[in-house]
Amino acid sequence: MSDRAGGPARRRRTTTSDGGAASRAKGPDAGPKDRRENGRTEPRAAGKPGASAGDDITDRLSCHVLQESLLSSASGYSNYRGILNWCVVMLVLSNARLFLENIIKYGILVDPIQVVSLFLKDPYSWPAACLIIASNVFILAALHTERRLAVGALSESTGWILHIFNLLFMLVFSSVTVLTVSSLTPVGGVLSLAVYTVLFLKLYSYQDANRWCRETRQAEAKRLTRSHSCPNVANGSAVRSHVSYPGNLTHRDMYYFILAPTLCYQLNFPRSPRIRKRFLMRRLFEMLFLMQLLVGLIQQWMVPTIQNSMKPFQEMDFSRMVERLLKLAVPNHLIWLIFFYWFFHSSMNFVAELLQFGDREFYRDWWNSESVTYFWANWNIPVHKWCLRHFYKPMLRRGINKFVAQTFVFLLSAFFHEYLVSVPLKMFRLWAFMGMMTQVPLAWFVGRYLNGNYGNAAVWMSLIIGQPIAVLMYVHDYYVIHHGSSS
């Protein structure tokens, strides 16, 4: 009797125990379906193995539990993959409509051969290439100055003056050449000045790092009366041959640094063990494909939009100006994103793989930026490292306030942005300079009043809207200067 009476109870306990064990066996990775079946949110079907008549009646009488809606923050739900896919589909469809509308209105405007005219006015004259080749004079001047400093033939103050003169003359020489040579196109001027800007930052880092090595060597010589190798950071990577100061002052070392995808010099760079041919070919394919895509988008989408924006700006039709600005924002931002991937991922990884350069951190997760300062510190790591190492931290060591130091960093960046735009266009309007300097109050406002997703949205808004404003300003002024009288 007791066995028969206790049998169903024991069977129910056994079933419950087995179900609990199965639930525990599934662990935290159990899917939503498993969690609904194991929880109380979904009634158990009658006739299911292990279900009793009492449970079936209870499930039919009670089908509600205490729970939040999925879209409520209190629900803890975070799987929005389907909504993200929906956003991507809508984005593709909306841009496809715009692209089709552009094709119907303007026809096919893509002409790869026309791109050559952006670089060359005369096929037998290559002023931009000649200007870039001439930069070797400044590279060799910096190397020779460091060699003289290493053997004590020059004093530190004299060497510093020679380096500063070399750097300033390099910027002045390139600017004067671009402004005076009429056969140099704006695109050729931008490329030439970009090379000279990168070279300026590299050579400044070169003289700074070698000066630190001399200071370290002199301090160790006083204490230990023996030569001392300048410290280096290898990051645990394989270093082929350890170089000590002044053994680094060679043409091979200098030109490796000039070609390497970094702006900060050190004696021993981290090196990758081998060249990965498949990785190299993928990056090369991306470079070629994305370059053609960029050219096509600019010719087919941006150029007609910019040309149609001139009349509203001349007539100061504010509503039409805003409409043209928003219309330009989409292709401009898409081109900027493609350019970012082309330059910072494909091109720089291609060069790094060729040179077996080990430090591949060219960018961080700037797309998650919740503040303007985080964006500028993470979207261009080579420049950020240079500013931090050679500009920001030296000012802090001199007792300058952090906010003032950050303002000076933005000031330096604003100067080079204006330098790379105004000089090739041969007009000085300071739009790029003012655009960069407005980042200072914007960074303060976003950091103080906006947090989380609101801060991230503000950063994206500044990128999507800010750049087209500067583009339209420069194009409008360039159009007025060169074509205003004829129109």
Side-chain angles (χ1 to χ4, degrees), residues 161-190:
I161 292 173
L162 289 176
H163 274 303
I164 296 302
F165 177 79
N166 183 53
L167 293 172
L168 293 179
F169 185 72
M170 180 172 61
L171 292 182
V172 173
F173 168 75
S174 58
S175 302
V176 171
T177 303
V178 171
L179 290 172
T180 55
V181 177
S182 59
S183 60
L184 197 62
T185 64
V187 176
V190 169

Side-chain angles (χ1 to χ4, degrees), residues 5 31 122 195 240 275 321 341 351 383 399 439 453:
D122 182 359
V195 170
R240 294 185 171 183
I275 297 177
M321 288 167 58
Y341 187 90
V351 175
V383 170
Q439 297 295 304
N453 292 332

Side-chain angles (χ1 to χ4, degrees), residues 6 31 48 82-83 95 111 129 133 163 186 199 268 344 378 449:
K48 185 176 179 180
I83 296 179
N95 283 282
D111 183 8
I133 293 173
H163 274 303
L199 193 58
N268 296 285
F344 286 98
N378 289 276
Y449 296 105

Side-chain angles (χ1 to χ4, degrees), residues 426-451:
K426 300 179 182 179
M427 63 179 193
F428 301 92
R429 294 295 186 272
L430 299 180
W431 297 120
F433 183 89
M434 289 188 292
M436 280 301 302
M437 291 311 297
T438 55
Q439 297 295 304
V440 177
L442 178 63
W444 175 84
F445 176 82
V446 173
R448 185 176 180 87
Y449 296 105
L450 300 176
N451 295 312

Side-chain angles (χ1 to χ4, degrees), residues 80-341:
Y80 297 102
R81 185 177 67 250
I83 296 179
L84 178 62
N85 291 335
W86 171 79
C87 292
V88 172
V89 171
M90 291 297 294
L91 183 65
V92 171
L93 291 177
S94 60
N95 283 282
R97 186 199 65 80
L98 292 175
F99 189 74
L100 183 60
E101 180 186 10
N102 180 276
I103 294 292
I104 295 173
K105 186 175 182 179
Y106 301 108
I108 303 296
L109 302 177
V110 179
D111 183 8
I113 299 177
Q114 187 184 13
V115 180
V116 179
S117 63
L118 297 176
F119 297 90
L120 300 174
K121 286 184 178 179
D122 182 359
Y124 300 100
S125 176
W126 297 61
C130 294
L131 182 58
I132 293 173
I133 293 173
S135 64
N136 287 279
V137 174
F138 304 100
I139 297 173
L140 296 176
L143 177 61
H144 182 71
T145 302
E146 282 300 325
R147 284 179 169 178
R148 302 290 290 174
L149 285 167
V151 298
L154 293 175
S155 64
E156 287 293 330
S157 58
T158 304
W160 186 82
I161 292 173
L162 289 176
H163 274 303
I164 296 302
F165 177 79
N166 183 53
L167 293 172
L168 293 179
F169 185 72
M170 180 172 61
L171 292 182
V172 173
F173 168 75
S174 58
S175 302
V176 171
T177 303
V178 171
L179 290 172
T180 55
V181 177
S182 59
S183 60
L184 197 62
T185 64
V187 176
V190 169
L191 292 178
S192 303
L193 294 184
V195 170
Y196 273 81
T197 300
V198 170
L199 193 58
F200 175 90
L201 301 176
K202 281 178 176 279
L203 293 183
Y204 187 91
S205 177
Y206 186 76
Q207 64 87 24
D208 243 5
N210 282 296
R211 176 170 55 83
W212 296 334
C213 287
R214 286 192 300 274
E215 293 173 355
T216 304
R217 185 178 63 169
Q218 292 170 2
E220 290 295 324
K222 292 179 181 179
R223 189 157 53 89
L224 302 174
T225 65
R226 63 181 177 85
S227 62
H228 179 76
S229 171
C230 183
N232 65 89
V233 180
N235 267 344
S237 303
V239 180
R240 294 185 171 183
S241 57
H242 185 83
V243 178
S244 303
Y245 184 84
N248 64 306
L249 302 178
T250 63
H251 291 86
R252 179 187 179 90
D253 181 87
M254 168 63 93
Y255 278 97
Y256 179 86
F257 170 57
I258 295 299
L259 297 175
T262 181
L263 299 176
C264 294
Y265 178 76
Q266 67 183 53
L267 272 69
N268 296 285
F269 290 104
R271 305 290 292 273
S272 56
R274 63 183 180 87
I275 297 177
R276 298 168 292 177
K277 294 182 176 60
R278 289 185 179 180
F279 179 87
L280 199 66
M281 295 306 297
R282 284 198 300 269
R283 300 289 84 80
L284 179 61
F285 173 77
E286 289 175 355
M287 289 169 60
L288 297 177
F289 172 76
L290 292 177
M291 176 55 69
Q292 295 298 321
L293 181 61
L294 284 171
V295 171
L297 288 175
I298 291 173
Q299 289 181 325
Q300 185 69 45
W301 205 348
M302 277 200 68
V303 172
T305 305
I306 292 174
Q307 290 175 344
N308 292 335
S309 302
M310 293 301 100
K311 187 176 180 181
F313 272 83
Q314 289 176 341
E315 297 175 354
M316 297 305 293
D317 186 347
F318 183 75
S319 59
R320 293 284 293 171
M321 288 167 58
V322 173
E323 185 267 337
R324 289 295 162 181
L325 174 64
L326 295 177
K327 189 172 183 179
L328 181 63
V330 175
N332 178 82
H333 188 64
L334 181 61
I335 289 170
W336 181 80
L337 290 175
I338 295 174
F339 174 80
F340 166 82
Y341 187 90

